Amino acid sequence: MANPLRSEVVRLYKNLLYLGREYPKGSEYFRDRLRSAFSKNRAESDPQAIREMILRGEFVSRELEALYYLRKYRAMKKRYYEE
């Protein structure tokens, strides 16, 4: 892997691993899927392809954050408002 992109990939992995702690199917499930996705693309050496994968990973990260915010919002709404 190209050295300049390695730090970005490691940062993305750690961020996704942190976000996976609250995953609805469990952190073990998320960690296994994350590990397999990163190890599947381990041999990739094309910098452009790596950048595209990083962008996709950042998209997944934003989607997970949105999922968690929505879940927290629904829980608070359920506690304080009757439907």
Side-chain angles (χ1 to χ4, degrees), residues 24-68:
K25 287 188 175 183
S27 61
E28 290 289 324
Y29 174 81
F30 187 84
R31 187 175 349 131
D32 292 341
R33 299 280 308 260
L34 181 65
R35 187 177 296 138
S36 68
F38 272 77
S39 64
K40 179 178 74 172
N41 297 311
R42 180 180 213 149
E44 186 64 52
S45 60
D46 180 29
Q48 184 61 29
I50 294 172
R51 288 184 209 283
E52 290 173 7
M53 288 183 237
I54 290 172
L55 289 175
R56 178 156 172 79
E58 289 172 350
F59 171 77
V60 169
S61 174
R62 288 190 303 270
E63 289 293 314
L64 281 172
E65 288 174 352
L67 172 76
Y68 297 153

